[in-house]
């Protein structure tokens, strides 16, 4: 009952005052707004039950709003305008269209409004495209806001003032009392405490740390050039432009005379590369106005534009390396003297290419074998030919017995190996040699088991030596360092390819089988080891156990010769494609170093017996001399230094230097050439 | 410097005074005179000849050499002064000496094989050793005349020396020693008085065996009692000759005569054999040359790159000098007979002064040769002159006072293996062209 009364009274009262709200909702509702309920001037508290019920309604509507999502899913856009032609105003969460409310034309809505008594409190919500009917409470709040009161009637804006602080009979806030004495005298307790601290610090009980220093790190220079900082580099940051050189005196229009280049200097600039040429040549002018226009100005600005256009946008990391520093640090050649450099002596006399040479262990004589069918002995110091053997066939290899008591020469012919008495040495040695090189029974040695068919030892009548007839062509020969054993290599001999012979017993055997095609074989200079080179590998055998120890992979196409360092732990291998490999047996089975030096086949590599030298001879008519220090310290790799290229031989039928050997005691190198000359290179 | 005010650069003049130690007919007045500074020694020589002709109309022109401060002038005078830093303001003292140059090339004495040893210490005979195992004695004279052929060695002769260098009374009868590649030394006696048309064949009266390898060099003690030999077996052996001479005087001569007359082939039966009195060990390689300039001091050079001095009585090494090259020749001579000249496996002839303490650097190096140096020899009397022979076929005459050779004798067509002075004014040299060449007329004061 009270409600209705309230409604009516309020509607009558407040027609004018509610006109603003009505205007805001719609023009047609102007007169219907007369029954607008304005919050009564009475206290809201007076009708408590009403307000509570209203509140409940509001809460209900709030919660329903929360449950039902707002129709608008497209945001705060002018829906009316943008969706004017559409039938929907957006999409719901399932992708269905949210349809527009059916639009009424103005007449229909007016008629409907006239019929509906609640029309005056309906508002069109543009955001959600729907009509909302305002509740009574809402209208009440609107009324209160319009009239400048608090929206909710239950709020009391004028609460009683509660004074929390006492200020009555306090007088002046500052004390008027005189200052106490303790304010003027140093504190006794503080003094005691300081004294205590000082004592403790002195006693070391308290450590004073420099804390203030750390704070200094926080200070940084605001304007510093941090282009080099790690932070900047990491992010590819700012790169400052290079600073141009400031103009100096020479750029003046009338520079001092010492800046002016002479005519020769200007001419020398012409000879320089354009990049190296100075960009600016100082000149003198009488006065400033006679300085001509800068002729390169257009070009330079064009270049600058070009630079900027072509400037790479990425940061390149350029490593500044001095190319010199990449070179291996090798000692100077001067410090590695002596080594052979110049040819002073030639041994002439052979009529055909000299295939092989060998120096006798004392260093007095040189033996050589040639294609002309002779083997010769030369006196090294004078170059005189002392002895000639007409062997009748091409002498392929020649080898002095390394023992000084046995001046025997081994000469390899096609199928034969001749053991010749060189005739050097005194009478005692000569008689011994005659005994040694005598075969009492020609057939006596043929009972050497399976090697019977491989080698036959025959007395050679003509040259008073031994002829060892092999079953196939012999390629090379090598003596054992003691001078009793020697080995011959018969490449096509299959299982009998490597033959070991004993001179004193005139006995031969074939201890190694299944080797492939051996090229050459050598003895270890001091141990019981044996090296066999096939075309691509070098096999190392233990002679006492007759078993393979190592297999060295050379990586070259075809081995032509090998040589063992006098220390016995290093090997050089020369190949037919001009490569030379250095093996360190302690290090690896692969080459420690591969030197590509010659343009043609290497015919011979050889070590010096005493000096740290080795050499290679090649068909390109040169011989190379190298220095090689082998350290006893296993951690240090051998040092190899190329020293000298020895030239002088002339090519003959495409062949150059066929053999090279070092003098056993001097740093001299003998080279045998296809031009039938033997040369001696001395230091 | 420009006396007449007319001087341009081309005619700068130097005040010089000619002095000499030559005998009076070759002395010029000691007045100083101005000569153009661009003169060489030939121009200066002309001036001296002109001055001599002024005083003596019969004077025959001859070349002179000029010394400034003990150095031979080998370029233009002004260049020389600049090079040596000598002031041209003062009066320059030019000492002139007779130019040393070979005047005459005698006929070469042909051999059958390479001539590997020569000795010219006897003024009337030349001794040569040859690769055909024979030792020959040549009499001095214009015609080539071989008086004796010493046969017996079985290897190439490497060294041959006269033992007796006595007075004229014994010149016709002398003893010899030879070393050979057959490891033996042989002692020989020759009597030059008994000679017929053909060369006399002589056999050795004593064989000195002991070396185990080629004997490379023999040398005779100046007191003629001992000889020494260096060999490929790295040792130096000393041999006593004197007692064998004494006891062998009677029978060996008869033996030799018998052998010569009967022409029997060599047999070892009656020949004396000698053994080394001592062996000096120290070299590690072939001892290529030994020389014995002083009775107590012996020098040796070796392929182990060293020159060693030995004290003979004690057999100890007293001085060693390493030069870095294998040495082929060595000679002691020069100033105070103390300088060591040696050459070897490079084209440089080096001279050392062993008296200089603390230094093993050569004091002179002469490098005009182009191949190994095979022999070097000091002039027996001069302090400045020495000879060198090389495998490049040249014999060079050097004066210590200049870096250029005084004379280059290119008489050989092949390697020169040995060289020696003969009669103070001739050079005898043998080489691989099987010739003994004699170059004479070298006047050395």
């Amino acid at each position: 009952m009270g409600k209705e009364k309230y409604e009516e009274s309020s509607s009558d009262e407040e027609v004018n005052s509610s006109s603003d709200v009505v205007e805001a909702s719609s023009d047609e509702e102007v007169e219907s707004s007369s029954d607008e309920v304005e919050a009564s001037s009475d206290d809201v508290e007076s009708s408590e039950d009403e307000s509570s019920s209203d509140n409940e309604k509001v809460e209900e509507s709030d919660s329903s709003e929360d449950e039902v999502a707002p129709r608008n899913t497209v945001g705060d856009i002018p829906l009316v305008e943008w969706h004017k032609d559409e039938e929907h105003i957006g999409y719901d969460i399932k992708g269905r269209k949210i349809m527009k409310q059916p639009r009424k034309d103005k007449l229909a809505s007016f008629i409907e409004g006239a019929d509906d008594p609640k029309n005056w409190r309906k508002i069109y919500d543009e955001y959600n495209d729907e009509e909302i009917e305002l509740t009574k409470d809402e209208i009440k709040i609107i009324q209160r806001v319009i009239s400048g009161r608090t929206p909710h009637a239950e709020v009391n804006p004028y609460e009683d003032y509660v004074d929390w602080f006492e200020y009555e009979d306090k007088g002046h806030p500052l004390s008027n009392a005189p200052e106490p004495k303790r304010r003027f005298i140093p504190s006794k307790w503080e003094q005691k405490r300081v004294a205590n601290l000082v004592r403790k610090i002195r006693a070391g009980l308290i450590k004073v740390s420099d804390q203030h220093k750390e704070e200094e790190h926080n200070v940084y220079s605001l304007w510093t050039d941090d282009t080099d900082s790690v932070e900047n580099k990491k992010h590819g940051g700012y790169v400052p432009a290079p600073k141009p050189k400031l103009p100096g005196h020479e750029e003046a229009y009338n520079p001092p005379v010492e800046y002016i280049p002479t005519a020769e200097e200007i001419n020398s600039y012409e000879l320089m590369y354009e990049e190296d040429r100075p960009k600016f040549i100082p000149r003198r002018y009488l006065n400033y106005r006679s300085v001509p226009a800068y002729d390169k100005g257009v070009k330079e600005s064009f270049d600058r534009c070009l630079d900027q256009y072509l400037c790479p946008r990425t940061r390149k990391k350029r490593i500044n390396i001095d190319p010199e520093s990449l070179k291996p640090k090798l000692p100077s050649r001067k410090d590695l003297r002596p080594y052979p450099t110049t040819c002073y002596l030639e041994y002439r006399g052979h009529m055909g290419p000299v295939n092989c040479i060998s120096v006798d262990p004392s260093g007095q004589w040189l033996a050589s074998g040639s294609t002309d069918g002779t083997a010769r002995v030369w006196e090294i110091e004078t170059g005189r030919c002392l002895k000639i053997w007409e062997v009748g066939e091409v002498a392929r290899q020649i080898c002095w017995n390394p023992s000084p008591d046995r001046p025997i020469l081994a000469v390899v012919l096609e199928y034969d190996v001749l053991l010749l008495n060189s005739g050097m040495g005194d009478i005692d040695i000569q008689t011994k040699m005659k005994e040694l090189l005598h075969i009492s029974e020609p057939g006596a040695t043929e009972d050497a088991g399976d090697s019977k068919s491989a080698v036959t030892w025959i007395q050679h009548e003509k040259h008073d030596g031994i002829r060892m007839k092999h079953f196939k062509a012999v390629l090379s020969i090598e003596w054992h360092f003691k001078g009793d054993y020697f080995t011959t290599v018969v490449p096509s001999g299959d299982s009998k390819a490597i033959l070991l012979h004993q001179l004193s017993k005139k006995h031969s055997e074939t201890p190694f089988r299944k080797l492939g095609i051996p090229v050459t074989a050598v003895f270890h200079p001091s141990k019981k080891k044996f090296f066999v080179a096939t075309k691509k590998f070098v096999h190392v055998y233990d002679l006492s156990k007759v078993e393979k120890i190592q297999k060295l992979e050379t990586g070259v196409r075809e081995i032509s010769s090998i040589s063992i360092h006098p220390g016995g732990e290093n090997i050089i291998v020369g190949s037919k494609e001009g490569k030379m490999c250095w093996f360190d047996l302690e290090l690896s089975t692969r080459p420690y170093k591969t030197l590509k030096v010659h343009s043609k086949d290497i015919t011979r590599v050889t070590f010096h017996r005493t000096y740290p030298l080795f050499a290679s001879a090649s068909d390109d008519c040169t011989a190379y001399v190298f220095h090689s220090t082998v350290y006893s310290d296993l951690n240090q790799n051998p040092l190899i230094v190329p020293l000298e290229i020895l030239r002088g031989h002339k090519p003959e039928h495409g062949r150059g230097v066929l053999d090279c050997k070092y003098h056993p005691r001097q740093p001299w190198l003998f080279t045998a050439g296809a031009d039938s000359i033997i040369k001696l290179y001395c230091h | 410097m420009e006396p007449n005010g007319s001087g341009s650069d081309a005619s700068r003049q130097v005040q010089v005074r000619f002095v000499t130690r030559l005998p009076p007919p070759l002395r010029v007045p000691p007045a100083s005179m101005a000569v153009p500074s661009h003169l060489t020694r030939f121009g200066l020589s002309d001036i001296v000849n002109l001055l001599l002709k002024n005083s003596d109309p019969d004077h025959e022109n001859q070349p002179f050499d000029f010394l400034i401060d003990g150095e031979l002038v080998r370029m233009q005078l002004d260049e020389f002064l600049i090079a040596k830093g000598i002031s041209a303001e003062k009066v320059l003292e030019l000492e002139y000496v007779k130019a040393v140059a070979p005047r005459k090339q005698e006929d070469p004495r042909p051999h059958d094989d390479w001539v590997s040893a020569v000795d010219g210490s006897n003024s009337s005979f030349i001794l040569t050793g040859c690769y055909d195992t024979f030792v020959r004695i040549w009499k001095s004279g214009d015609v080539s005349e071989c008086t004796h052929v010493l046969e017996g060695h079985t290897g190439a002769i490497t060294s041959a020396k006269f033992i007796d260098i006595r007075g004229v009374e014994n010149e016709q009868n002398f003893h010899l020693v030879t070393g050979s590649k057959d490891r033996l030394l042989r002692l020989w006696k020759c009597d030059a008085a008994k000679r017929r048309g053909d060369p006399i064949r002589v056999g050795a009266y004593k064989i000195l065996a002991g070396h185990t390898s080629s004997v490379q060099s023999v040398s005779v003690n100046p007191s003629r009692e001992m000889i020494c030999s260096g060999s490929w077996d790295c040792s130096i052996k000393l041999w006593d000759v004197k007692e064998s001479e004494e006891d062998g005087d009677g029978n060996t001569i008869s033996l030799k005569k018998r052998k010569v007359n009967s022409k029997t082939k060599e047999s070892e039966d009656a020949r004396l054999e000698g053994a080394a009195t001592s062996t000096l060990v120290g070299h590690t390689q072939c001892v290529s040359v030994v020389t014995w300039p002083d009775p107590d001091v012996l020098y040796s050079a070796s392929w182990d790159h060293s020159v060693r001095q030995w004290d003979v009585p004690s057999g100890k090494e007293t001085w060693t000098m390493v030069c870095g090259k294998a040495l082929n020749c060595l000679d002691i001579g020069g100033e105070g007979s103390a300088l060591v000249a040696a050459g070897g496996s490079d084209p440089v002839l080096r001279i050392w002064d062993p008296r200089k303490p603390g230094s093993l650097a050569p004091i002179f190096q002469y490098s005009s040769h182009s191949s190994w140096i095979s022999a070097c020899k000091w002039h027996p009397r001069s302090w400045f002159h020495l000879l060198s022979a090389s495998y490049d076929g040249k014999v060079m005459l050097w004066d210590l006072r200049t870096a250029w050779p005084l004379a280059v004798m290119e008489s050989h067509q092949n390697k020169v293996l040995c060289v020696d002075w003969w009669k103070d004014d001739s050079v005898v040299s043998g080489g691989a062209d099987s010739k003994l060449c004699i170059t004479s007329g070298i006047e050395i004061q």
Side-chain angles (χ1 to χ4, degrees):
Chain A
M1 207 176 98
K3 235 185 223 176
E4 284 172 358
K5 192 172 150 190
Y6 166 73
E7 280 175 357
E8 284 171 355
S9 62
S10 65
S11 63
D12 292 328
E13 280 173 23
E14 300 290 327
V15 173
N16 292 327
S17 57
S18 67
S19 61
D20 287 339
V21 178
V22 174
E23 272 175 18
S25 57
S26 76
D27 292 339
E28 291 83 2
E29 296 161 359
V30 172
E31 62 263 51
S32 64
S33 68
S34 57
D35 55 351
E36 164 82 49
V37 177
E38 174 49 33
S40 61
S41 57
D42 309 340
D43 275 346
V44 181
E45 290 97 323
S46 59
S47 57
E48 279 183 23
D49 50 344
E50 271 183 58
S51 65
S52 62
S53 65
D54 283 347
N55 284 343
E56 277 174 43
K57 275 182 192 168
V58 170
E59 275 169 347
E60 268 179 26
S61 74
D62 278 350
S63 59
S64 68
E65 264 182 19
D66 284 344
E67 282 165 18
V68 181
R71 289 187 76 232
N72 187 340
T73 55
V74 293
D76 191 9
I77 57 166
L79 263 183
V80 179
E81 197 179 329
W82 287 9
H83 288 248
K84 199 167 35 183
D85 304 328
E86 307 292 337
E87 56 181 354
H88 66 282
I89 54 161
Y91 300 89
D92 67 2
I93 198 165
K94 286 170 184 165
R96 288 178 302 223
K97 280 180 178 172
I98 301 170
M99 305 310 289
K100 261 184 190 169
Q101 294 285 358
R103 203 27 95 198
K104 299 163 192 163
D105 58 337
K106 286 196 176 178
L107 188 64
S109 63
F110 176 74
I111 293 167
E112 196 182 331
D115 292 342
D116 188 0
K118 290 179 180 175
N119 187 36
W120 63 273
R121 42 177 168 179
K122 277 183 183 168
I123 297 170
Y124 174 69
D125 180 4
E126 232 178 289
Y127 180 75
N128 286 324
D129 187 37
E130 58 185 352
E131 281 202 333
I132 305 165
E133 192 181 326
L134 296 176
T135 57
K136 258 184 193 172
D137 292 310
E138 281 167 343
I139 287 169
K140 227 182 242 176
I141 288 171
I142 290 167
Q143 293 279 1
R144 286 182 68 92
V145 169
I146 286 169
S147 61
R149 285 175 288 169
T150 53
H152 295 279
E154 63 268 28
V155 175
N156 179 16
Y158 308 111
E159 298 261 0
D160 284 343
Y161 178 74
V162 180
D163 196 0
W164 296 101
F165 302 99
E166 284 182 54
Y167 54 89
E168 289 178 15
D169 62 320
K170 285 288 178 198
H172 199 271
L174 296 177
S175 168
N176 222 4
E179 289 282 298
K181 186 186 175 187
R182 63 172 183 276
R183 299 253 172 95
F184 305 101
I185 55 169
S187 162
K188 177 186 169 190
W189 301 107
E190 270 183 16
Q191 190 187 13
K192 277 192 171 179
R193 176 155 177 75
V194 168
N196 197 13
L197 283 174
V198 167
R199 186 178 55 79
K200 279 182 175 171
I201 289 170
R202 283 197 182 144
L205 296 173
I206 298 174
K207 291 237 167 60
V208 185
S209 58
D210 304 332
Q211 286 174 345
H212 58 282
K213 276 190 179 174
E214 288 172 11
E215 288 175 9
E216 284 176 10
H217 292 290
N218 295 331
V219 180
Y220 60 94
S221 168
L222 186 60
W223 305 109
T224 185
D225 176 21
D226 54 354
T227 49
D228 282 341
S229 70
V230 183
E231 200 77 350
N232 187 36
K233 276 182 183 165
K234 195 159 51 182
H235 303 302
Y238 164 71
V239 183
K243 288 206 173 78
K245 190 177 148 266
L246 294 174
H249 292 294
E250 66 272 25
E251 270 106 346
Y253 77 93
N254 190 6
V257 197
E258 60 263 30
Y259 287 105
I260 309 295
T262 60
E264 291 123 45
E265 279 173 328
I266 291 175
N267 288 339
S268 71
Y269 295 156
E270 293 297 312
L271 299 173
M272 288 177 174
Y273 287 110
E274 196 160 347
E275 292 86 39
D276 304 337
R277 225 175 270 167
K279 299 281 175 295
F280 174 77
I281 299 171
R283 283 186 61 189
R284 307 195 79 178
Y285 299 99
L286 276 180
N287 40 39
Y288 198 66
R289 68 171 181 275
S290 57
V291 177
Y294 185 50
D295 53 346
K296 291 180 201 152
V298 175
K299 187 176 184 321
E300 272 180 13
S301 52
F302 172 75
D303 285 345
R304 174 72 186 143
C305 291
L306 203 62
D307 280 350
Q308 285 184 329
Y309 169 60
L310 295 174
C311 170
R313 296 309 196 262
T314 53
R315 174 176 278 214
K316 272 189 188 168
K317 275 208 171 166
R318 179 178 292 174
I319 310 164
N320 256 337
I321 298 177
D322 182 17
E324 288 295 314
S325 68
L326 294 176
K327 280 192 188 168
K329 297 275 176 296
L330 291 180
S332 156
R333 292 201 306 168
K334 279 182 191 165
D335 306 336
L336 301 176
R337 281 174 184 166
Y339 57 85
T341 53
T342 336
C343 172
Y344 289 124
L345 268 178
E346 290 181 353
Y347 303 85
R348 288 167 185 269
H350 275 297
M351 313 300 284
V354 186
N355 283 334
C356 47
I357 47 176
S358 178
V359 190
D360 108 279
S362 69
Q364 197 176 359
W365 297 293
L366 171 75
S368 66
S370 163
T371 320
D372 62 2
T374 58
R376 293 174 192 236
V377 171
W378 310 80
E379 191 176 76
I380 287 172
E381 61 166 318
T382 54
R384 185 184 165 90
C385 181
L386 290 180
K387 231 175 187 162
I388 303 176
W389 288 282
E390 297 278 349
V391 292
E393 287 175 67
V394 175
R396 296 188 165 198
Q397 206 175 4
I398 199 160
C399 213
W400 278 97
N401 191 317
S403 160
D405 304 334
R406 292 180 169 179
I408 293 174
L409 271 173
V411 186
V412 174
L413 307 178
E414 181 76 28
Y415 287 94
D416 298 340
V417 172
L418 295 185
L419 299 180
L420 301 171
N421 182 359
S422 69
M424 309 303 168
D426 53 22
I427 299 157
D428 294 347
I429 290 177
Q430 282 305 313
T431 49
K432 270 189 207 161
M433 283 310 101
K434 274 183 185 144
E435 280 172 28
L436 194 62
L437 293 178
H438 182 71
I439 296 172
S440 51
E441 255 180 276
T445 53
E446 286 189 25
D447 57 353
D450 51 351
S451 67
K452 188 199 286 178
S453 53
V455 182
T456 323
W457 295 65
I458 313 170
Q459 184 78 34
H460 197 293
E461 299 300 336
K462 187 180 160 196
H463 298 307
D464 196 21
I466 293 176
R467 179 177 161 214
M468 297 167 64
K469 201 166 150 52
H470 285 64
F471 69 115
K472 289 251 172 70
V474 187
L475 190 66
S476 75
I477 189 166
E478 182 79 24
W479 286 94
H480 185 248
F481 65 95
K482 282 181 182 159
D484 194 19
Y485 289 94
F486 61 102
T487 175
T488 52
V489 176
V490 184
S492 52
D494 280 341
S495 64
K496 293 172 188 169
I498 304 284
L499 296 151
L500 278 183
H501 313 278
Q502 191 177 3
L503 176 61
S504 53
K505 291 183 182 166
K506 321 273 188 301
H507 174 77
S508 305
E509 56 181 323
T510 57
F512 309 110
R513 297 179 187 271
K514 290 179 190 170
L515 272 170
I517 302 173
V519 178
T520 177
V522 285
F523 288 94
H524 191 280
S526 53
K527 289 182 194 161
K528 286 184 176 175
K529 278 189 188 174
F530 191 67
F531 301 84
V532 178
T534 58
K535 287 208 167 176
K536 289 188 178 172
F537 302 101
V538 179
H539 305 269
V540 187
Y541 287 93
D542 190 326
L543 271 184
S544 51
K545 294 176 193 163
V546 196
E547 63 179 22
K548 197 188 279 184
I549 310 170
Q550 262 177 316
K551 181 182 178 186
L552 308 179
E553 297 168 35
T554 58
V556 298
R557 222 173 294 142
E558 195 175 345
I559 296 175
S560 59
S561 78
I562 64 174
S563 180
I564 317 289
H565 189 267
E569 291 306 327
N570 294 278
I571 303 180
I572 42 172
V573 172
S575 80
K576 290 214 169 169
E577 74 238 54
K579 273 188 194 167
M580 194 160 39
C581 304
W582 176 291
F583 285 96
D584 193 333
L585 292 186
E586 301 274 327
L587 196 69
S588 156
T589 57
R590 296 190 167 272
Y592 157 64
K593 226 160 223 176
T594 302
L595 307 166
K596 175 87 182 79
V597 282
H598 291 287
S599 58
K600 283 187 176 177
D601 299 5
I602 290 180
T603 50
R604 176 74 65 185
V605 288
T606 182
F607 271 109
H608 198 286
R609 262 177 47 184
T610 48
Y611 286 88
L613 295 170
F614 68 97
S616 66
S618 158
D619 274 340
D620 59 6
C621 291
T622 58
Y624 281 63
V625 179
F626 297 87
H627 172 90
S628 62
T629 309
V630 173
Y631 300 96
S632 51
D633 178 11
L634 287 178
N635 290 326
Q636 216 162 353
N637 282 331
L639 173 76
I640 301 171
V641 187
L643 290 177
E644 190 81 26
I645 303 172
L646 304 178
R647 296 190 171 86
H649 284 287
K650 291 181 194 73
E652 193 96 357
H653 303 300
R655 314 263 355 234
V657 186
L658 301 183
D659 200 354
C660 68
K661 286 281 157 64
Y662 273 111
H663 190 277
R665 294 177 175 186
Q666 304 282 350
W668 299 347
L669 185 73
F670 295 93
T671 56
D675 50 0
S676 64
I677 300 170
I678 304 166
K679 283 174 186 274
L680 168 60
Y681 291 89
C682 302
H683 63 290
Chain B
M1 284 311 297
E2 294 167 8
N4 303 327
S6 64
S8 66
D9 268 2
S11 63
R12 287 167 71 98
Q13 293 198 319
V14 196
Q15 292 283 329
V16 297
R17 182 165 57 226
F18 292 104
V19 294
T20 186
R21 287 178 214 162
L22 291 171
L26 291 174
R27 284 209 182 138
V28 295
S32 70
M33 62 181 76
V35 296
S37 64
H38 60 81
L39 282 185
T40 59
R41 61 179 168 131
F42 303 107
L44 292 168
S45 198
D46 283 344
I47 293 174
V48 172
N49 275 319
L50 205 67
L51 291 170
L52 289 171
K53 209 154 216 175
N54 283 344
S55 55
D56 176 15
D58 299 334
H59 173 72
E60 229 175 76
N61 275 358
Q62 60 174 2
F64 291 100
D65 245 333
F66 297 87
L67 288 157
I68 298 175
D69 290 350
E71 197 136 359
L72 285 173
V73 179
R74 274 293 177 276
M75 44 182 120
Q76 285 190 12
L77 213 47
D78 47 356
E79 286 173 17
F80 184 88
L81 295 182
I82 290 166
K84 300 294 168 196
I86 302 170
S87 163
E89 308 281 328
K90 295 183 293 186
V91 175
L92 206 59
E93 275 212 355
L94 276 175
E95 186 187 347
Y96 61 94
V97 293
K98 279 186 185 174
V100 175
R103 315 264 158 108
K104 196 172 145 203
Q105 186 75 43
E106 289 182 23
D107 286 339
R109 312 284 199 259
H111 285 66
D112 294 339
D113 211 333
W114 294 11
V115 181
S116 52
V118 68
D119 187 6
S121 54
N122 191 311
S123 60
S124 50
F125 293 96
I126 306 169
L127 182 63
T128 63
C130 182
Y131 261 77
D132 61 1
T133 72
F134 298 127
V135 182
R136 292 178 177 82
I137 299 173
W138 304 80
K139 193 169 165 51
S140 69
D142 290 338
V143 283
S144 65
E145 207 177 3
C146 178
T147 57
H148 295 75
V149 174
L150 317 183
E151 49 187 28
H153 277 296
T154 56
I157 311 295
T158 53
S159 183
K161 287 275 169 6
F162 288 107
I163 297 179
D164 290 350
I165 317 163
R166 296 184 186 165
V168 188
E169 70 276 6
N170 260 343
E171 209 168 55
Q172 302 297 316
N173 189 359
F174 39 77
H175 290 214
L176 312 164
V177 61
T178 58
S180 159
K181 291 202 186 279
D182 61 6
R183 293 170 289 276
L184 300 175
L185 284 89
R186 283 173 194 246
L187 296 173
W188 319 75
K189 254 178 214 177
C190 291
D191 191 357
K194 302 173 183 172
R195 73 166 302 267
R196 295 151 216 143
D198 286 339
I200 303 167
R201 307 232 156 219
V202 184
Y205 75 86
K206 187 164 181 180
I207 296 173
L208 305 178
H211 281 298
T212 56
S213 194
S214 306
V215 178
Q216 285 296 95
S217 169
V218 295
S219 189
V220 183
N221 186 333
S223 63
R224 298 183 294 272
E225 293 161 353
M226 293 183 80
I227 55 175
C228 64
S229 62
S231 157
W232 257 98
D233 60 12
C234 314
S235 68
I236 302 164
K237 284 188 193 293
L238 304 182
W239 317 80
D240 209 339
V241 193
K242 194 165 187 190
E243 48 94 22
S244 69
E245 268 180 53
E246 281 164 359
D247 70 349
D249 247 356
N251 55 354
T252 42
I253 285 177
S254 62
L255 227 173
K256 179 197 74 189
K257 270 182 197 162
R258 191 198 68 198
K259 222 189 293 164
V260 167
N261 292 337
S262 61
K263 298 262 194 274
T264 49
K265 70 173 169 77
E266 282 182 321
S267 53
E268 280 77 25
D269 51 355
R271 193 159 303 131
L272 289 170
E273 291 233 357
T277 53
S278 63
T279 305
L280 307 179
V281 183
H283 281 294
T284 55
Q285 288 192 48
C286 156
V287 181
S288 50
V289 57
V290 285
T291 59
W292 203 334
D294 187 71
D296 285 345
V297 183
L298 187 76
Y299 287 89
S300 66
S302 159
W303 275 33
D304 65 4
H305 307 172
S306 69
V307 174
R308 292 175 202 232
Q309 186 188 47
W310 306 84
D311 181 43
V312 177
S314 65
K316 291 268 161 48
E317 204 180 300
T318 50
W319 179 71
T320 309
M321 195 265 317
V322 181
C323 85
K325 308 280 173 182
L327 294 170
N328 283 329
C329 58
L330 173 79
D331 201 25
I332 311 296
E335 185 188 344
S337 288
L339 301 186
V340 178
S345 64
D346 69 339
V348 184
L349 176 69
R350 294 180 176 83
I351 293 162
W352 289 269
D353 191 348
R355 300 166 299 185
K356 230 182 202 177
S359 164
L360 294 178
I363 53 170
F364 295 107
Q365 297 199 46
Y366 299 116
S367 44
S368 292
H369 282 295
S370 61
S371 189
W372 282 19
I373 291 176
S374 52
C376 61
K377 209 80 187 175
W378 287 96
H379 190 269
R381 286 187 294 105
S382 166
W383 280 10
F384 302 112
H385 296 90
L386 78 158
L387 285 172
S388 69
S390 164
Y391 283 175
D392 61 6
K394 289 173 190 162
V395 176
M396 291 192 187
L397 172 60
W398 299 93
D399 191 311
L400 287 194
R401 295 168 291 189
T402 181
W404 284 269
L406 285 186
V408 179
M409 291 159 250
E410 296 181 75
S411 42
H412 287 280
Q413 280 93 46
N414 206 334
K415 293 167 193 147
V416 187
L417 299 176
C418 52
V419 73
D420 200 5
W421 292 97
W422 185 46
K423 295 195 291 192
D424 290 354
D425 67 339
S426 302
V427 173
V428 286
S429 60
D433 55 356
S434 310
K435 281 192 289 193
L436 174 74
C437 290
I438 305 173
T439 311
S440 58
I442 302 170
E443 282 184 57
I444 291 172
Q445 301 88 27

